[in-house]
Amino acid sequence: MAGVVVSGGDAQGFEGRITAYVILCAIIAAFGGLMFGYDIGISGGVTSMDDFLEKFFPAVYARKGKVQENNYCKYDNQYLQLFTSSLYLAALVSSFGASKVCSKFGRRPTMQIASTFFMTGVILNAAAMNIAMLIIGRLFLGAGVGFANQAVPLFLSEIAPAKVRGSLNILFQLFITIGIFIANMINYFMSNVHPNGWRISLGLAGVPAIILFLGSLIIPETPTSLIEREKLEEGRRTLKKIRGTDNIDAEFDSIMEASEMARQVKDPFRKLLKRSSRPPLVIAIVMQVFQQFTGINAIMFYAPVLFQTVGFKNDASLLSAVITGLVNVFSTLVSVYLVDKAGRRLLLLEACVQMFITQGIIGAILLADLSPTSSLNGTEAGIVVLLVCLFVAGFAWSWGPLGWLIPSETFPLETRTAGFAFAVSSNMLFTFIIAQSFLSMLCHMQAGIFFFFAAWIVLMGLFAKFLLPETKNVPVDAMVERVWKQHWYWKRYMIEEDGDYGYKMKNLESGPSK
Ligand code: BGC
C-alpha cells in the first residue's frame, strides 16, 4: 500500500470555511457509522426474541422457558454467540483489504463497496431460512463494516477544515450511537410482531446502507486521495468546492508535499515495524483492547439478555436497552463539546473512575442477591439499569470516541492509514472476542464477570495516567516533536534510524528537538 495522507495541520491557517457542502458530505459518510451501530444494537434484541430463537436456536429456546434453568446460563450457546461475533471476524479480515482499496482507488469507491457488501448481507439475513444463511449474511455485513470503518473516518478527516477535524471525527462515533439506539427501538417494537418481527429488524439495516450508497454518488472523492493518485487538477477543483474559496493554494501545496513524502515510503506496513513507529502503534492497539475490555459490548450486544438475567420480562428488558441507547447518544455529545477543551486524558481518567465504581456495584448486587435460580427484586433491578446507564455515559464521552480519535491523530503522515488499519482490525478482533465469549463467561463467572471488567478498568486508568500523552490542540503533523519526543517514556523510541525518511524530514523542518 502506498502511503496515504490526511491533509492539513490544525494550526496552519489555511483559508476556507465550514461550508454547507462539507457538512452534507460528512453526514452522508457518517451513515457508515450508523450502519455499524445498527448492527451492534440489533443482534442482542433479535437473539432474545422467541420467534427467532425457536426457529434457529431451539435448544436455547427450550432452556429459556424452563423455570429452573440457571439464570446466568440461559443463553450460553456457541452458535448464538457466533451469530453475533461472526460479523467482527469478517470485519477484521476485510479491513486490511479495505485499506489497500482505499489507497489505490479512493475513499468513495471503498464506501460504495462497503454498502454493496452490506446490502447483500441484509438480504441474506432478512430472508434467512437456516443458520447457514444467517451466518453467511453476517459475514457479508462484517465485510461491509470493515470497508466502511476504514474509509469513513479517513474521509471525514480529509474533507474537514483542520480546525474542526476533532468534532467531525467524533461525528462517526455519534452516528454509531444513533445506529445502536435506533436498532434498540426497532427491536422493542418488533418483538411484538409475530412471527417475522426479527426479519424486519434485520432487514431495516439496509436503510443506512442504501443511503450511504446513494449518498456516495453525490459526495466527491477527497482532494488528498485524488492528489495522491496524481489526479492533480481534479484534486484542486474539489478542494475549491469543499472549502468554498478559490484561495486554496497553501492547502493544495501542503497536500502535494505530504503526498510526496508519503510516496517515499514504499511500504508503510514495514515502516510501522520500526522502533520509531512503536509509540503510536502501541497506543492505537492498546486503546482498542482497553476500549473493548471496559465491557461496553457485553452491554451493547447483550443488554436485553442481561436485563432478562436480572429478572426483567422481555418487553421491559428491551425497553431498558432503549434507555441505555439514549444515554449513549447524549453522552457522546458531551465528548464532542469537551474533547478539545478538557482534553483527552481528563475524560479518559474520569471515565475510568466512573466505570470502575459502576461495574463494581453491579457485581456486588448480583453477587449478593442474584442466585442462579432467583431474580432481583424490582428496586434492585432498577438500580442495575441506572448503574448500567452511568457506566455507558462514562464510556460514551471517553473510551468510545477517543478509541477512534486518538489513533487517527497520533501517527505521522507516512504511516497514518496503515496504522489506522491496525486500529480498526484490533478493535474488531477484541470486539469478536467479547461477542464470542461473553455469554459463556457470564455463565461460568456469574457476577464475577463484572469484577473482571472492573480490574481491566484499573489497568487502563494506570495506562492513561502514565503512558498516554495529551494530544489536545497539538497539530497532527507536530506530534513527533511536541508529543513523542517530549514524553518521559516514549521519547526513548524517537531515535533516528537510517532510511527513516519521515522523521529526518521533520527534523529538518522544525529544527533540533529540545
Ligand atoms: C465501539 C463499539 C461500541 C460502541 C458503543 C464504539 O466506539 O467501537 O464497539 O459498541 O462504541 O457506543
Side-chain angles (χ1 to χ4, degrees):
M1 193 189 79
V4 180
V5 297
V6 176
S7 65
D10 297 81
Q12 296 183 15
F14 301 137
E15 202 182 298
R17 323 169 255 119
I18 306 168
T19 57
Y21 185 55
V22 150
I23 293 176
L24 177 74
C25 293
I27 291 177
I28 289 173
F31 268 89
L34 205 142
M35 215 163 77
F36 177 42
Y38 189 89
D39 259 297
I40 293 171
I42 209 72
S43 48
V46 166
T47 51
S48 72
M49 288 181 196
D50 287 347
D51 294 322
F52 178 83
L53 288 176
E54 198 178 357
K55 186 165 177 65
F56 298 107
F57 302 96
V60 182
Y61 180 67
R63 218 189 305 158
K64 188 182 164 193
K66 286 193 194 142
V67 184
Q68 288 312 319
E69 188 55 55
N70 185 332
N71 269 327
Y72 291 103
C73 297
K74 280 182 193 171
Y75 293 92
D76 177 20
N77 179 295
Q78 288 299 316
Y79 289 108
L80 192 60
Q81 295 182 111
L82 194 61
F83 168 72
T84 301
S85 68
S86 49
L87 187 152
Y88 301 92
L89 205 56
L92 156 71
V93 176
S94 71
S95 63
F96 286 101
S99 93
K100 290 217 157 60
V101 173
C102 206
S103 89
K104 212 159 175 213
F105 301 102
R107 294 35 170 160
R108 204 164 77 129
T110 312
M111 285 187 237
Q112 286 164 344
I113 295 174
S115 41
T116 312
F117 273 137
F118 209 81
M119 285 186 284
T120 313
V122 169
I123 293 168
L124 282 168
N125 264 353
M129 301 308 291
N130 48 44
I131 294 198
M133 270 177 94
L134 268 186
I135 306 266
I136 294 171
R138 293 286 287 177
L139 293 176
F140 272 100
L141 293 179
V145 166
F147 272 67
N149 283 22
Q150 177 73 27
V152 172
L154 279 179
F155 178 88
L156 292 175
S157 296
E158 288 174 350
I159 61 159
K163 56 182 179 286
V164 292
R165 188 171 43 239
S167 309
L168 271 197
N169 194 291
I170 294 186
L171 205 62
F172 177 62
Q173 173 75 11
L174 187 66
F175 271 61
I176 294 179
T177 61
I178 295 173
I180 297 175
F181 171 64
I182 294 176
N184 287 337
M185 247 178 17
I186 287 174
N187 275 340
Y188 178 63
F189 290 113
M190 288 308 137
S191 67
N192 292 318
V193 177
H194 302 286
N196 285 323
W198 62 270
R199 289 193 194 275
I200 303 176
S201 283
L202 295 178
L204 285 175
V207 176
I210 291 173
I211 295 177
L212 181 65
F213 187 82
L214 295 178
S216 69
L217 302 176
I218 305 171
I219 59 177
E221 183 50 85
T222 68
T224 312
S225 171
L226 289 167
I227 294 168
E228 202 203 358
R229 289 178 293 126
E230 292 174 9
K231 299 184 174 178
L232 303 187
E233 264 327 293
E234 206 182 331
R236 185 183 284 279
R237 244 183 293 125
T238 310
L239 195 57
K240 284 183 184 166
K241 192 166 175 201
I242 61 175
R243 295 286 175 260
T245 170
D246 280 348
N247 187 7
I248 44 86
D249 286 351
E251 187 170 1
F252 183 83
D253 289 346
S254 141
I255 302 176
M256 282 288 283
E257 192 186 318
S259 290
E260 195 42 52
M261 257 174 73
R263 230 174 269 134
Q264 314 266 343
V265 177
K266 288 280 171 287
D267 187 350
F269 281 100
R270 255 191 57 205
K271 172 128 201 293
L272 268 183
L273 298 178
K274 294 208 165 191
R275 194 175 153 78
S276 54
S277 295
R278 200 99 25 103
L281 184 63
V282 167
I283 283 182
I285 293 175
V286 167
M287 285 297 291
Q288 308 303 331
V289 179
F290 284 162
Q291 187 200 60
Q292 292 305 315
F293 278 94
T294 55
I296 186 66
N297 279 326
I299 292 175
M300 291 298 139
F301 297 148
Y302 299 118
V305 168
L306 194 69
F307 291 138
Q308 286 198 12
T309 303
V310 300
F312 284 111
K313 293 275 162 292
N314 206 9
D315 258 17
S317 53
L318 285 172
L319 188 60
S320 310
V322 172
I323 297 170
T324 52
L326 207 57
V327 170
N328 196 12
V329 175
F330 282 102
S331 310
T332 306
L333 290 173
V334 173
S335 186
V336 174
Y337 181 72
L338 279 182
V339 72
D340 291 320
K341 299 189 171 68
R344 283 80 166 132
R345 291 179 74 239
L346 189 73
L347 286 173
L348 292 169
L349 287 169
E350 184 282 335
C352 280
V353 176
Q354 188 168 329
M355 293 190 298
F356 176 77
I357 294 175
T358 47
Q359 291 274 30
I361 305 180
I362 295 174
I365 293 179
L366 299 197
L367 189 63
D369 289 333
L370 184 70
S371 75
T373 49
S374 69
S375 45
L376 296 179
N377 66 42
T379 320
E380 275 180 325
I383 294 176
V384 169
V385 174
L386 183 71
L387 289 166
V388 168
C389 287
L390 287 172
F391 167 81
V392 168
F395 174 88
W397 59 59
S398 61
W399 294 84
L402 298 181
W404 297 106
L405 176 61
I406 291 177
S408 83
E409 64 183 12
T410 44
F411 283 100
L413 213 50
E414 56 275 17
T415 48
R416 199 164 290 152
T417 323
F420 197 68
F422 270 94
V424 176
S425 54
S426 314
N427 186 285
M428 296 303 152
L429 175 64
F430 289 94
T431 308
F432 167 77
I433 291 173
I434 295 285
Q436 185 60 36
S437 55
F438 175 70
L439 294 177
S440 308
M441 284 165 81
L442 182 67
C443 174
H444 293 106
M445 297 168 77
Q446 305 198 350
I449 186 148
F450 293 95
F451 300 126
F452 169 81
F453 288 131
W456 275 94
I457 291 170
V458 173
L459 206 63
M460 62 188 77
L462 292 173
F463 172 82
K465 173 109 186 79
F466 296 108
L467 288 173
L468 191 76
E470 179 58 65
T471 47
K472 171 184 87 163
N473 293 339
V474 181
V476 277
D477 292 325
M479 289 289 165
V480 173
E481 291 300 320
R482 287 184 34 190
V483 172
W484 303 121
K485 285 189 175 176
Q486 313 297 330
H487 190 267
W488 73 273
Y489 180 74
W490 297 117
K491 67 180 175 201
R492 73 195 64 188
Y493 290 93
M494 291 295 130
I495 300 158
E496 287 197 24
E497 292 159 342
D498 282 346
D500 204 353
Y501 180 82
Y503 292 129
K504 282 198 175 146
M505 279 298 289
K506 262 193 183 56
N507 288 341
L508 287 179
E509 280 164 12
S510 35
S513 61
K514 287 172 218 127

Coordinates of all heavy atoms in Angstrom, one line a residue, residues 36 40 173 176-177 180 291-292 296-297 300 328 395 400 404 427 431, ligand 1:
F36 N -22.8 0.6 11.1 CA -22.1 -0.2 12.0 C -22.9 -0.3 13.4 O -23.1 -1.3 13.9 CB -20.7 0.5 12.2 CG -19.8 -0.1 13.3 CD1 -19.7 -1.5 13.4 CD2 -19.0 0.7 14.1 CE1 -18.8 -2.1 14.4 CE2 -18.2 0.1 15.0 CZ -18.1 -1.2 15.2
I40 N -24.5 -3.3 15.8 CA -24.1 -3.6 17.2 C -25.4 -3.7 18.0 O -25.5 -4.6 18.8 CB -23.3 -2.4 17.7 CG1 -21.9 -2.4 17.0 CG2 -23.1 -2.6 19.2 CD1 -21.1 -1.1 17.3
Q173 N -18.5 8.5 15.6 CA -19.0 7.8 16.8 C -20.4 8.1 17.1 O -21.2 7.3 17.6 CB -18.0 8.1 18.0 CG -18.5 7.6 19.3 CD -18.3 6.1 19.5 OE1 -17.6 5.5 18.7 NE2 -18.9 5.6 20.6
I176 N -22.6 6.1 15.2 CA -22.6 4.7 15.7 C -23.6 4.6 16.8 O -24.5 3.7 16.8 CB -21.2 4.3 16.3 CG1 -20.2 4.3 15.2 CG2 -21.3 3.0 17.0 CD1 -18.8 3.9 15.7
T177 N -23.6 5.6 17.7 CA -24.5 5.5 18.9 C -26.0 5.7 18.4 O -26.9 5.1 19.0 CB -24.2 6.6 20.0 OG1 -24.3 7.9 19.4 CG2 -22.8 6.4 20.5
I180 N -27.1 2.4 17.1 CA -27.4 1.5 18.2 C -28.8 1.8 18.8 O -29.6 0.9 19.0 CB -26.3 1.5 19.3 CG1 -25.0 1.1 18.8 CG2 -26.7 0.6 20.5 CD1 -23.8 1.3 19.8
Q291 N -10.6 -0.3 25.1 CA -12.0 0.1 24.8 C -12.9 -1.1 24.9 O -14.0 -1.0 25.5 CB -12.1 0.7 23.3 CG -13.4 1.3 23.1 CD -13.7 1.4 21.6 OE1 -13.8 0.4 20.8 NE2 -14.0 2.6 21.1
Q292 N -12.5 -2.3 24.4 CA -13.4 -3.4 24.4 C -13.4 -4.1 25.8 O -14.5 -4.6 26.2 CB -13.0 -4.4 23.3 CG -13.2 -3.9 21.9 CD -14.7 -3.5 21.7 OE1 -15.6 -4.2 22.1 NE2 -14.9 -2.3 21.1
I296 N -18.0 -2.7 27.4 CA -19.1 -2.0 26.8 C -20.0 -2.9 25.9 O -21.2 -2.8 25.9 CB -18.6 -0.8 26.0 CG1 -19.8 0.1 25.4 CG2 -17.7 -1.2 24.8 CD1 -20.6 0.8 26.5
N297 N -19.3 -3.8 25.1 CA -20.1 -4.5 24.2 C -20.9 -5.7 24.9 O -21.8 -6.2 24.3 CB -19.3 -5.0 23.0 CG -19.2 -3.8 22.0 OD1 -20.1 -3.0 21.9 ND2 -18.1 -3.7 21.4
M300 N -23.8 -3.5 25.0 CA -24.4 -3.1 23.8 C -25.0 -4.3 23.0 O -26.1 -4.3 22.5 CB -23.4 -2.5 22.8 CG -22.9 -1.1 23.3 SD -24.3 0.0 23.4 CE -24.0 0.9 24.9
N328 N -26.4 6.7 25.7 CA -25.2 6.6 24.9 C -25.0 7.7 23.9 O -24.0 8.4 23.8 CB -25.2 5.2 24.2 CG -23.9 4.8 23.6 OD1 -22.8 5.4 23.9 ND2 -23.9 3.8 22.7
F395 N -18.4 5.7 29.4 CA -17.8 5.2 28.2 C -18.0 6.1 27.0 O -17.1 6.4 26.2 CB -18.3 3.8 27.9 CG -17.8 3.2 26.6 CD1 -16.6 2.5 26.5 CD2 -18.5 3.5 25.4 CE1 -16.1 2.0 25.3 CE2 -18.0 3.0 24.2 CZ -16.8 2.2 24.2
G400 N -15.1 5.5 24.1 CA -15.8 5.2 22.9 C -15.2 6.1 21.8 O -14.6 5.6 20.9
W404 N -11.3 5.8 18.7 CA -11.2 6.1 17.3 C -10.4 7.3 17.0 O -9.6 7.4 16.0 CB -12.6 6.2 16.6 CG -13.3 4.9 16.7 CD1 -14.4 4.6 17.5 CD2 -13.1 3.7 16.0 NE1 -14.8 3.3 17.4 CE2 -14.1 2.7 16.5 CE3 -12.2 3.2 15.1 CZ2 -14.1 1.4 16.0 CZ3 -12.2 1.9 14.6 CH2 -13.2 1.0 15.1
N427 N -9.6 -3.4 16.9 CA -10.9 -3.2 17.5 C -11.8 -4.4 17.2 O -12.5 -4.9 18.1 CB -11.5 -1.9 17.0 CG -12.8 -1.5 17.6 OD1 -13.9 -2.1 17.4 ND2 -12.8 -0.6 18.6
T431 N -13.5 -7.0 19.8 CA -15.0 -7.0 19.8 C -15.4 -8.4 19.5 O -16.4 -8.9 20.2 CB -15.6 -6.1 18.7 OG1 -15.0 -4.8 18.8 CG2 -17.1 -6.0 18.8
Ligands
BGC1 C1 -17.0 0.8 19.9 C2 -18.1 -0.2 19.8 C3 -19.2 0.1 20.8 C4 -19.7 1.5 20.6 C5 -20.7 1.8 21.7 C6 -17.7 2.2 19.7 O1 -16.7 3.1 19.8 O2 -16.0 0.6 18.9 O3 -17.5 -1.5 20.0 O4 -20.2 -0.8 20.7 O5 -18.7 2.4 20.7 O6 -21.3 3.1 21.5

